[in-house]
Amino acid sequence: MKLQNVFGNTYFVKGGTNTGVYLFENNEALLIDPGLNGLRPKNMIKMFENEKIIPKYIINTHEHEDHVAACGQIKHSYPKVEIIASENAKIFIERPELFSDFILGGKHNKFLTAKLFHRNVEKIYVDTIVDEGTLNKNNTNFEIINLKGHTLASIGILTKDGVLFAGDLLVGEEVLNKYDFLFLQDVEEYLKSLDKIQSLDFNYLVLAHGRKVLDKDSTMLLINKHRQAIYKYLNQIKENLKVPMNIDTLLKKIIKENELTYNYKEYYFFRTSLVTCISYLADLDEIDYTLEDSDLLYYTKIK
């Protein structure tokens, strides 16, 4: 395991979730999304010890376990590290069972817990809440950008080296080609966040889930592919709902039409994204619902 330099003092550590590292002049560090707990953070801590790097801050782009679970492990080794997140992310980071409740739409169960949570995750507490604007740490400015959509708590971090960490707003093209039905909590906010990134002044993007660092031109192309994926599913939903149907029947058709693979967790992730898309189309007054024979059916409005 080693630090990969992006530009200037901005680095990252490769992994299932790439971890951002900004090195200050005194060899203290700000980490972005430390990832899952277990062997990887253990090896990352060894690397820090070998390089005489002291993690001083951790910023979480959002609350999902594959981004935040290692916070407790790093905090155990570096008790003075300051854990930072948005206000909404703090709620879910400190009470992860709420995410399971949200996904199911009620009390979480053992089936989802087995898929969603890894064992031996230390309790995590967020020390500092941030919102959009300038964050100064160690006399260095970082820009915090609200990037809602994937979750309502999502933020991005832009270093003074012009390197952007955008959490799960974007995934690598190889991931997108495989899983283009993106997990979203708010389609409208997600599309706004894509627009925001396009107008942002940055030079490089480090994907949380991707194999390479992107320059700005490559990022613009990837943004367009994400936008196309969103509209692909919105159009499919409207087409399918020319015949009224309930959520689970519609989800079955979406899964079959796109040959999506899934387990228990991913089924509910897809269902959440589908409900989110339906809410977006309802807000646009493009679909409506009816109650028939003890069922709730959605349908596309004829204009």
Side-chain angles (χ1 to χ4, degrees):
M1 180 175 284
K2 63 179 182 178
L3 290 176
Q4 310 281 329
N5 184 245
V6 183
F7 188 79
N9 289 357
T10 306
Y11 299 77
F12 76 104
V13 180
K14 290 183 178 179
T17 300
N18 294 321
T19 298
V21 180
Y22 185 89
L23 285 183
F24 300 103
E25 299 301 327
N26 59 2
N27 238 31
E28 292 179 334
L30 177 145
L31 310 183
I32 301 168
D33 289 347
L36 287 168
N37 67 314
L39 183 59
R40 181 173 176 270
K42 184 177 179 180
N43 290 336
M44 198 154 50
I45 290 166
K46 284 183 181 178
M47 179 190 67
F48 293 147
E49 291 172 349
N50 291 337
E51 299 292 333
K52 295 182 170 51
I53 294 170
I54 301 173
K56 192 174 180 182
Y57 313 99
I58 299 174
I59 300 182
N60 300 290
T61 60
H62 62 291
E63 65 271 25
H64 290 165
E65 189 200 25
D66 60 327
H67 290 251
V68 308
C71 285
Q73 205 168 335
I74 294 172
K75 182 86 168 180
H76 182 78
S77 295
Y78 301 94
K80 293 184 180 179
V81 74
E82 180 183 348
I83 298 175
I84 303 167
S86 68
E87 184 173 12
N88 285 332
K90 171 182 167 70
I91 296 169
F92 287 93
I93 290 171
E94 295 184 347
R95 294 189 60 195
E97 73 279 2
L98 294 178
F99 179 64
S100 295
D101 295 346
F102 164 76
I103 291 298
L104 284 177
K107 177 73 166 61
H108 62 277
N109 59 43
K110 65 178 183 180
F111 310 123
L112 187 60
T113 300
K115 294 290 184 183
L116 199 57
F117 295 119
H118 292 73
R119 295 180 180 180
N120 302 319
V121 176
E122 296 191 39
K123 182 73 174 176
I124 302 167
Y125 295 96
V126 174
D127 301 302
T128 303
I129 292 172
V130 291
D131 202 349
E132 191 163 64
T134 301
L135 175 70
N136 185 278
K137 294 295 179 184
N138 267 28
N139 298 314
T140 303
N141 287 339
F142 301 87
E143 289 302 315
I144 305 299
I145 305 132
N146 285 334
L147 295 177
K148 298 177 181 179
H150 174 64
T151 76
L152 296 180
S154 294
I155 59 173
I157 298 94
L158 178 63
T159 76
K160 70 174 188 176
D161 297 319
V163 181
L164 176 64
F165 296 87
D168 283 352
L169 180 73
L170 300 172
V171 297
E173 192 167 349
E174 67 280 2
V175 179
L176 185 63
N177 288 339
K178 239 177 136 178
Y179 306 104
D180 66 343
F181 195 21
L182 300 167
F183 179 85
L184 298 178
Q185 288 188 13
D186 191 314
V187 172
E188 182 178 7
E189 290 294 338
Y190 183 81
L191 294 172
K192 286 179 181 177
S193 291
L194 293 182
D195 291 340
K196 186 181 289 189
I197 292 292
Q198 284 189 302
S199 64
L200 199 63
D201 184 16
F202 68 95
N203 299 318
Y204 302 99
L205 174 76
V206 178
L207 296 163
H209 306 291
R211 297 175 182 170
K212 57 185 179 180
V213 174
L214 303 182
D215 60 22
K216 190 161 187 179
D217 288 340
S218 298
T219 302
M220 296 303 111
L221 293 173
L222 188 60
I223 287 172
N224 288 333
K225 289 180 179 180
H226 279 69
R227 191 178 281 111
Q228 288 168 9
I230 297 299
Y231 283 107
K232 166 190 166 181
Y233 282 98
L234 291 173
N235 289 331
Q236 276 188 23
I237 290 165
K238 288 192 291 184
E239 184 65 26
N240 277 304
L241 289 182
K242 287 180 179 178
V243 177
M245 66 184 71
N246 62 36
I247 287 281
D248 291 299
T249 301
L250 177 58
L251 179 57
K252 183 177 180 179
K253 290 179 71 67
I254 293 292
I255 289 173
K256 281 191 170 184
E257 287 173 11
N258 297 281
E259 298 181 346
L260 301 173
T261 58
Y262 63 96
N263 58 26
Y264 190 89
K265 175 192 78 173
E266 288 157 352
Y267 179 88
Y268 275 97
F269 277 21
F270 289 151
R271 197 177 192 280
T272 297
S273 294
L274 179 58
V275 170
T276 296
C277 288
I278 286 173
S279 296
Y280 176 69
L281 292 170
D283 288 343
L284 293 177
D285 201 31
E286 294 190 16
I287 65 169
D288 208 336
Y289 76 93
T290 183
L291 301 174
E292 293 181 9
D293 192 26
S294 302
D295 206 353
L296 191 156
L297 309 175
Y298 291 98
Y299 63 90
T300 300
K301 295 179 73 171
I302 298 174
K303 295 185 178 181

